[in-house]
Structure formats: C-alpha cells, structure tokens
Amino acid sequence: MTLHAALLRPLAVAVLLCPLLSLAAEPAPAGPPPDVTSLKQEIEDLKRLLPGQAHVMSDVDHHYGNLWFAARAKNWPLATFHMNESRFRIAWAVRIRPVRPLPGGGEIDLRPMQTHIEQSAFTELKAAIDKHDVKAFEVAYKKGLGECFDCHKAIDKAFLRPEVPRSRGASVIAVEPE
C-alpha cells in the first residue's frame, strides 16, 4: 500500500461516517409533533407578550424629543442616533399592528403612512443632519411632527398632538387641549 492510499483510506472512512454520527447525535423527538391548534394557541400566547403600539410610540416620543435637542446642540452623531431610533420604533409600531380598526367602522392601513414619513420627513431630517444644517433640521423636524399628527388624526387619535418639546426629557405630545 502506498503512503498516498494509506492517508486517503481513513479520510474516506471519516467522510462516510460523519453523516451517520450526526444522525446518532440528534435527540429523538419527545413525542408526536404539535398539532395546528396548539401551535395557533402558542402564537396567540406569544402575541400577548409583545408590547402594544402605545408602548412603542412612547419610545418614539422619547427619541424624537431627544433628536430635537441633539441637533440644536449640534451633536450630529447623537442626532443621527435618535433619528434612526425614531425610524426603527415607528416601523416596529406598524409591524405590531399594520391595520387599525376605526371607531366608526372600517379600518386603516398604517403602512402607506409609514412609507410617506420615511420618504418625506425622515429623508429631509437625514439630509439636514448630514449637512449639519440646524435651520433645515428644524423645518424637517416640524414637518415630521405634522406628519405624525396626520397619522394620529387618521386613526381617530387627534388628542395625540405632537409639538416641539419644551425641555429635555419632556414629551413631544402637547397636554393642553387645542
């Protein structure tokens, strides 16, 4: 037997045995696979553990408010962070409940509104932050507040009226009635 053949034989045996060894290492199923009804129930149980839109929108409030102060202080990396977090949280809120029922009947799909604010206010905010332009930022920020309010009105929650935050840590939702 040549040295070459002597080296290849153990390698060939290992290649052939590896799939068998991996099968032996897999644990046997504990029982019958779960039925569709129990899987649906498990999904519903998991959904109840997720935060609701109001919780996620509180995060948007926090980040969008801090965005105002970060840009006004010309802390552009922090402004970018808060802008991105605001975008992410809005997208998360829409993923949680993409279609909302309306009090008077019918429903509204929030996905087109999310797309609009992404392509409008957030695009302008990013451009202003990238240019380090406080004035353009303020215009885009206020535009974003208006677009948020448009969404709130569309879902019959006009009492959630965004405004420029008055102090750090303050909500962007006005508490005074119109």
Side-chain angles (χ1 to χ4, degrees):
M1 179 186 295
T2 67
L3 181 61
H4 182 69
L7 292 174
L8 285 179
R9 184 171 291 156
L11 180 62
V13 170
V15 167
L16 291 173
L17 287 179
C18 275
L20 296 175
L21 293 174
S22 69
L23 287 174
E26 289 181 23
D35 61 288
V36 173
T37 304
S38 65
L39 288 173
K40 285 181 179 179
Q41 183 58 51
E42 188 174 350
I43 289 169
E44 289 306 312
D45 292 345
L46 290 170
K47 283 182 180 178
R48 282 191 287 281
L49 296 175
L50 294 173
Q53 272 185 331
H55 177 82
V56 177
M57 291 307 292
S58 292
D59 287 352
V60 174
D61 179 48
H62 167 79
H63 288 290
Y64 205 73
N66 282 322
L67 170 58
W68 174 259
F69 292 103
R72 304 249 330 185
K74 298 180 181 177
N75 185 341
W76 303 113
L78 185 59
T80 299
F81 169 78
H82 284 300
M83 180 195 64
N84 288 334
E85 290 299 311
S86 297
R87 290 170 100 164
F88 174 76
R89 296 305 194 287
I90 289 171
W92 184 20
V94 172
R95 277 193 311 273
I96 288 172
R97 194 172 186 186
V99 178
R100 290 188 63 96
L102 296 172
E107 56 188 26
I108 187 164
D109 187 343
L110 302 177
R111 291 169 287 205
M113 291 182 201
Q114 177 200 355
T115 299
H116 174 73
I117 196 168
E118 275 288 326
Q119 294 173 349
S120 181
F122 278 118
T123 297
E124 292 174 27
L125 281 167
K126 182 179 180 334
I129 290 169
D130 289 347
K131 292 179 190 170
H132 300 179
D133 186 338
V134 175
K135 296 229 182 277
F137 168 84
E138 289 176 0
V139 170
Y141 186 90
K142 291 174 183 176
K143 181 178 188 173
L145 291 174
E147 290 174 357
C148 289
F149 190 45
D150 289 343
C151 184
H152 295 173
K153 290 185 290 188
I155 63 170
D156 200 35
K157 297 202 181 301
F159 55 87
L160 296 172
R161 190 169 36 86
E163 66 180 0
V164 172
R166 298 175 190 174
S167 62
R168 287 192 59 214
S171 175
V172 297
I173 300 296
V175 295
E176 297 83 13
E178 269 187 277

